Amino acid sequence: MATGVKEADVWAAADALLHAGEQPTIEKVRLHLGRGSPNTVGPHLKNWFRGLGMRLLAEQGGANDIPQAVTRAVSQVWETALAAARNECTAEVASERKELATAQAALEADRAALEQERGRLRVRESDLEAATRFAQDQAAAAETRLQAIEQQMRENAQALKDAYSQLAGTRDQVAALQQVLQAAHTTHQDSLMAAEARHTAHERRWLGEIDGHRQALKRAQEELVRLQKASDITATQHRHELNQAHAASSVQTQRAMKAETEMQTLKAQLEAGAQAARAVETRWESASSQLAVQIDTLRHQLQTKDRQMELLMQGKARRTSRSVSKGDRKVVPSVAKHSPLIKSPSRKHQST
């Protein structure tokens, strides 16, 4: 539905068309305005026609009598406009229904394709879930190893922290010794010469302790370097194990894709086997039908021959009975030779 078309706009356009000597219709009003849909213009134009009579009366100074020609003209204009609006609405409804039917057909086709795609994706998802579970198991194992490595690193860090603590304690001891030395130097400066030998001995002892502390600090630093190297080696091993886990996950993904390809191949082979089985079944049914027809034909021929044999036996019995009653045994071969009753079944039997 178009926006911005108001009743005043429609009325002004209808007045302009009427003053121009044209019949106001929905299509002409739309062309005059340059916008608006039939559903929007139609009701406004209908209201314009309803108020046209009152407006004419107002223009004539309130006269009560309206010329019949004007009334008929207005009525004809309204009917024509109403018919045109109905035709336009009917055409638009038919077009919309056709488009709706086309869209529904396309929707059904898309829905069927979507169902097929969903089935294929469910199979694919099942395969991927199996591969993902396997990869997750491997990742969990790698995570366990990583936790063990992290625990070892924490222990190494704790040992390094203890070494730093020992180093800090050593430094505090050295600072304390230096303070003691300064205090002793200030207090016993007067007796420096007398206590020089003793001070020298103490100094050597202090220097030995300082050297010992320095050696301990050096060893602590070497232990720190060793722990850092061990941590680097552990981290390298951990990265290598993670790379191996990723590679194993990629191999499992490739295996899943290969299994899916093999499954499609087996499915095609099964379909071909089913088609071959249906063809063999069709041929077997055809052969069975032909065999049934042949059996019915042979049965019919056998019944015909049985009837012929029965007729022959009845004719022979009658001839024997007549020969015995007349007492003439020589007549029987003649009758059998020239009797049409016996020859006719014999020819029928031969033709059969």
Side-chain angles (χ1 to χ4, degrees):
M1 180 179 291
T3 58
V5 178
K6 299 181 179 179
E7 186 177 29
D9 298 332
V10 175
W11 283 36
D15 289 339
L17 291 172
L18 188 62
H19 287 301
E22 297 183 4
Q23 178 180 345
T25 61
I26 295 176
E27 188 62 29
K28 288 182 179 181
V29 171
R30 290 179 62 198
L31 292 175
H32 184 80
L33 293 174
R35 65 185 188 278
S37 65
N39 294 331
T40 304
V41 175
H44 295 332
L45 186 60
K46 184 177 179 181
N47 294 332
W48 179 84
F49 276 111
R50 288 177 178 174
L52 182 60
M54 297 301 296
R55 292 171 61 192
L56 290 175
L57 287 175
E59 290 178 359
Q60 292 178 3
N64 293 326
D65 54 341
I66 300 175
Q68 294 183 357
V70 174
T71 304
R72 285 195 299 270
V74 171
S75 178
Q76 290 177 359
V77 168
W78 169 245
E79 293 296 332
T80 304
L82 185 60
R86 288 176 179 173
N87 293 332
E88 290 177 0
C89 293
T90 303
E92 288 186 0
V93 169
S95 177
E96 290 178 356
R97 287 180 178 176
K98 184 177 180 180
E99 292 178 357
L100 180 61
T102 304
Q104 287 180 349
L107 180 61
E108 291 297 331
D110 293 340
R111 185 176 298 171
L114 180 61
E115 289 298 330
Q116 293 179 357
E117 185 66 17
R118 283 180 178 175
R120 188 183 69 80
L121 288 177
R122 282 195 292 270
V123 175
R124 177 64 175 168
E125 183 179 0
S126 177
D127 296 337
L128 290 178
E129 285 179 355
T132 303
R133 284 194 296 270
F134 182 78
Q136 288 176 351
D137 294 338
Q138 290 187 344
E143 184 68 21
T144 302
R145 292 194 297 270
L146 177 61
Q147 291 177 358
I149 293 171
E150 290 178 349
Q151 180 65 27
Q152 185 177 1
M153 291 179 65
R154 284 194 294 270
E155 293 176 356
N156 294 335
Q158 184 64 35
L160 182 61
K161 184 177 180 181
D162 295 339
Y164 275 121
S165 298
Q166 292 178 1
L167 178 62
T170 302
R171 289 176 178 175
D172 293 339
Q173 290 177 3
V174 171
L177 288 173
Q178 289 177 351
Q179 291 177 0
V180 171
L181 179 62
Q182 184 65 30
H185 179 71
T186 303
T187 305
H188 299 90
Q189 187 175 5
D190 295 337
S191 59
L192 178 62
M193 298 301 294
E196 184 177 358
R198 186 174 64 254
H199 178 71
T200 302
H202 288 302
E203 185 177 2
R204 287 197 298 269
R205 181 172 59 82
W206 291 336
L207 291 174
E209 292 179 356
I210 292 172
D211 185 66
H213 289 304
R214 287 177 179 175
Q215 294 295 328
L217 177 61
K218 183 178 180 181
R219 289 192 298 271
Q221 291 177 348
E222 291 176 351
E223 182 67 19
L224 175 62
V225 172
R226 187 185 65 80
L227 291 175
Q228 289 179 349
K229 290 181 179 180
S231 299
D232 294 337
I233 293 173
T234 303
T236 303
Q237 292 178 353
H238 172 60
R239 287 194 295 270
H240 181 66
E241 291 177 355
L242 286 179
N243 291 332
Q244 289 180 349
H246 287 305
S249 177
S250 300
V251 169
Q252 292 300 323
T253 303
Q254 293 177 358
R255 287 180 179 175
M257 295 174 63
K258 183 178 179 181
E260 183 178 2
T261 304
E262 292 177 354
M263 184 180 65
Q264 295 293 336
T265 304
L266 290 175
K267 184 177 180 182
Q269 293 177 357
L270 288 174
E271 290 179 354
Q275 292 179 357
R278 287 194 295 269
V280 170
E281 184 179 359
T282 303
R283 290 196 298 270
W284 180 81
E285 290 177 354
S286 177
S288 299
S289 301
Q290 294 177 359
L291 182 60
V293 172
Q294 292 178 359
I295 291 173
D296 292 337
T297 304
L298 292 174
R299 184 180 293 111
H300 180 69
Q301 293 177 357
L302 182 59
Q303 292 176 357
T304 302
K305 291 181 179 180
D306 289 340
R307 287 195 297 271
Q308 291 176 357
M309 291 296 295
E310 184 178 358
L311 291 174
L312 289 173
M313 294 299 293
Q314 291 177 1
K316 184 176 180 182
R318 286 195 297 270
R319 291 194 300 272
T320 304
S321 176
R322 286 197 298 270
S323 298
V324 173
S325 62
K326 293 179 179 179
D328 189 4
R329 298 178 183 273
K330 294 181 180 181
V331 177
V332 175
S334 177
V335 174
K337 183 177 181 182
H338 300 286
S339 176
L341 184 61
I342 298 175
K343 289 181 180 180
S344 177
S346 178
R347 286 195 300 270
K348 186 177 180 181
H349 178 69
Q350 290 175 359
S351 64
T352 302

